[in-house]
């Protein structure tokens, strides 16, 4: 890698405010805000809107849309494609 062109890569805490969940990982993101972590060190913290703890896909609360019904309704309304 060329020196001097890459952002610094270090430990950062990502915090999901909606789920009251935080995790420590390494990233190039930075923040002026800091948090005291469980190990006694202070790390920059990045607040996120959604994480795997609060996302409907991962929590199992995702709704399945009835796409078959929508397609059938469209075909009834406008006819099948290629029908003569």
């Amino acid at each position: 890698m060329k020196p001097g062109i890459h952002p610094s890569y270090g430990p950062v805490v990502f915090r999901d405010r909606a789920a009251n969940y935080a995790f420590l990982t390494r990233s190039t993101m930075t923040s002026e805000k800091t948090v005291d972590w469980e190990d006694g060190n202070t790390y920059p913290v990045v607040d996120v809107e959604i994480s795997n703890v609060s996302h409907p896909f991962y929590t199992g609360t995702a709704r399945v849309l009835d796409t078959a019904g929508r397609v059938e309704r469209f075909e009834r309304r406008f006819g099948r494609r290629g029908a003569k």
Side-chain angles (χ1 to χ4, degrees):
M1 292 191 333
K2 291 173 102 175
I5 63 169
H6 299 286
S8 61
Y9 184 71
V12 177
V13 173
F14 285 93
R15 179 173 51 192
D16 183 355
R17 300 288 246 164
N20 197 21
Y21 176 73
F23 59 94
L24 177 66
T25 187
R26 294 176 52 90
S27 176
T28 58
M29 291 188 72
T30 60
S31 175
E32 297 295 322
K33 295 187 277 184
T34 60
V35 66
D36 294 326
W37 193 243
E38 300 159 354
D39 61 3
N41 293 329
T42 302
Y43 298 107
V45 63
V46 176
D47 291 325
V48 294
E49 297 284 326
I50 198 161
S51 69
N52 65 328
V53 177
S54 60
H55 193 280
F57 178 80
Y58 295 107
T59 60
T61 59
R63 294 182 293 153
V64 178
L65 296 176
D66 181 22
T67 56
R70 291 181 181 195
V71 171
E72 290 168 0
R73 187 173 61 208
F74 179 83
E75 288 177 350
R76 277 196 313 264
R77 186 184 267 167
F78 299 107
R80 289 192 75 107
R81 187 174 196 181
K84 294 181 181 179

